[in-house]
């Protein structure tokens, strides 16, 4: 069974600080996908990134960067120079490949609430 | 940019009543999902739907739940007889490939 652990329940930072959100996953599959979603106070889930298990290259998108390390089963998310608008709950999620059918379901972590104060 | 839409945004219902939550997935997507999030908790998978049938469902998705794609655009979740513990945010998601899922804004269901 797959599992996603986000050990940090809540993180508080002051604007412009860098912050890293941790995500550790468990899966028996060799092919899987990892995701990060943002849930702002308004409640919707905003897709941030997808990474497949064969691509360990780190990714940077503006102030966001992701560090995927298969050896430690981690997919951490760093926000550089945080802003108040970054305040949200961030979810890490995992999906396993479902044979040839292509579909799979997402298993979410419990989320990390990030509070960025001015 | 195309997006998943859900209606209503908030539904209040009495225990024992039937509710139908509606979703319009992104038009060229083939895979459809329902998830729910009880307040303050993680998002949980309910059901996936592909090729006009349920492809997978979780333990939460019992006989009280059903899904339907009544026409080419809508995807609905029905709860036959709501319970207090069904109060949650329900998210619809769709995907073209089965992997990258795009979520709607959610419907907050309150059962009193």
């Amino acid at each position: 069974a797959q599992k996603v652990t986000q050990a940090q329940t809540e993180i508080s930072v002051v604007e412009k600080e860098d912050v890293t959100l941790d995500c550790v996953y468990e899966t028996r599959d060799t092919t899987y996908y990892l995701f990060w979603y943002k849930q702002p106070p308004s409640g919707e889930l905003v897709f941030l990134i997808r990474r497949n298990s064969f691509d360990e290259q780190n990714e940077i998108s503006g102030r966001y960067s992701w560090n995927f390390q298969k050896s430690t089963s981690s997919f951490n998310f760093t926000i550089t120079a945080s802003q108040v608008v970054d305040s949200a709950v961030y979810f890490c999620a995992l999906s396993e490949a479902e044979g040839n059918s292509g579909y799979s379901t997402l298993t979410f972590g419990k989320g990390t609430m990030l509070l960025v104060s001015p | 940019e195309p997006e998943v839409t859900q209606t209503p945004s908030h539904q209040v219902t009495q225990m024992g009543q039937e509710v139908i939550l509606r979703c319009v997935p992104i038009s060229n997507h083939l895979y459809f999902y329902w998830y729910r999030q009880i307040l303050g908790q993680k998002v949980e998978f309910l059901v996936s739907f592909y090729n006009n049938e349920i492809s997978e469902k979780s333990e939460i998705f019992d006989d009280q739940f059903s899904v339907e794609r009544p026409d080419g655009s809508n995807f609905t979740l029905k709860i036959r007889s709501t319970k207090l513990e069904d109060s949650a945010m329900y998210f619809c998601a769709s995907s073209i490939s089965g992997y990258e899922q795009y979520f709607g804004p959610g419907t907050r269901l309150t059962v009193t």
Side-chain angles (χ1 to χ4, degrees):
Chain A
Q2 54 193 40
K3 186 177 170 183
V4 176
T5 302
Q6 294 180 255
Q8 304 149 309
T9 307
E10 186 174 318
I11 301 175
S12 293
V13 298
V14 177
E15 220 173 6
K16 296 184 184 171
E17 281 185 33
D18 299 347
V19 58
T20 296
L21 310 180
D22 297 334
C23 173
V24 173
Y25 62 92
E26 290 177 33
T27 177
R28 280 179 277 190
D29 274 18
T30 54
T31 303
Y32 52 88
Y33 293 79
L34 295 162
F35 303 79
W36 277 94
Y37 285 86
K38 174 181 179 180
Q39 187 175 43
S42 49
E44 72 271 26
L45 285 167
V46 179
F47 168 81
L48 294 178
I49 189 172
R50 178 189 77 168
R51 178 49 51 92
N52 75 54
S53 51
F54 298 110
D55 182 4
E56 285 194 72
Q57 214 170 13
N58 291 332
E59 182 155 341
I60 298 175
S61 175
R63 296 185 296 106
Y64 295 170
S65 62
W66 291 270
N67 183 355
F68 176 29
Q69 296 214 341
K70 231 169 162 176
S71 59
T72 56
S73 297
S74 65
F75 186 44
N76 297 336
F77 173 31
T78 297
I79 302 174
T80 304
S82 58
Q83 299 176 1
V84 172
V85 293
D86 296 328
S87 296
V89 180
Y90 290 86
F91 290 97
C92 180
L94 165 72
S95 73
E96 293 170 331
E98 292 285 344
N100 295 325
S101 62
Y103 64 84
S104 75
T105 64
L106 288 172
T107 297
F108 283 81
K110 290 186 176 179
T112 297
M113 178 178 287
L114 175 65
L115 299 170
V116 183
S117 53
Chain B
E1 187 175 319
E3 56 185 24
V4 177
T5 60
Q6 289 185 244
T7 53
S9 56
H10 190 191
Q11 172 94 43
V12 181
T13 189
Q14 288 191 324
M15 203 165 52
Q17 296 294 305
E18 173 184 287
V19 294
I20 297 176
L21 310 183
R22 292 183 165 79
C23 168
V24 178
I26 295 173
S27 62
N28 61 339
H29 285 192
L30 302 174
Y31 302 85
F32 314 111
Y33 308 83
W34 283 101
Y35 291 80
R36 83 167 183 194
Q37 184 183 30
I38 293 171
L39 188 63
Q41 297 187 24
K42 69 177 178 179
V43 180
E44 300 172 291
F45 167 74
L46 290 178
V47 66
S48 59
F49 193 86
Y50 170 71
N51 203 24
N52 286 320
E53 61 182 19
I54 290 175
S55 45
E56 192 174 348
K57 58 184 180 180
S58 71
E59 295 169 351
I60 303 167
F61 195 87
D62 61 23
D63 292 344
Q64 291 299 311
F65 291 89
S66 62
V67 289
E68 203 175 39
R69 189 154 161 80
D71 51 42
S73 58
N74 290 286
F75 180 50
T76 62
L77 174 70
K78 184 196 290 188
I79 308 174
R80 271 182 258 287
S81 178
T82 51
K83 299 180 275 230
L84 292 176
E85 53 264 38
D86 293 327
S87 294
M89 181 79 94
Y90 289 81
F91 290 102
C92 173
S94 72
S95 173
I96 192 168
S97 65
Y99 296 111
E100 196 165 299
Q101 297 178 26
Y102 290 88
F103 285 79
T107 292
R108 182 167 297 286
L109 176 65
T110 302
V111 182
T112 60

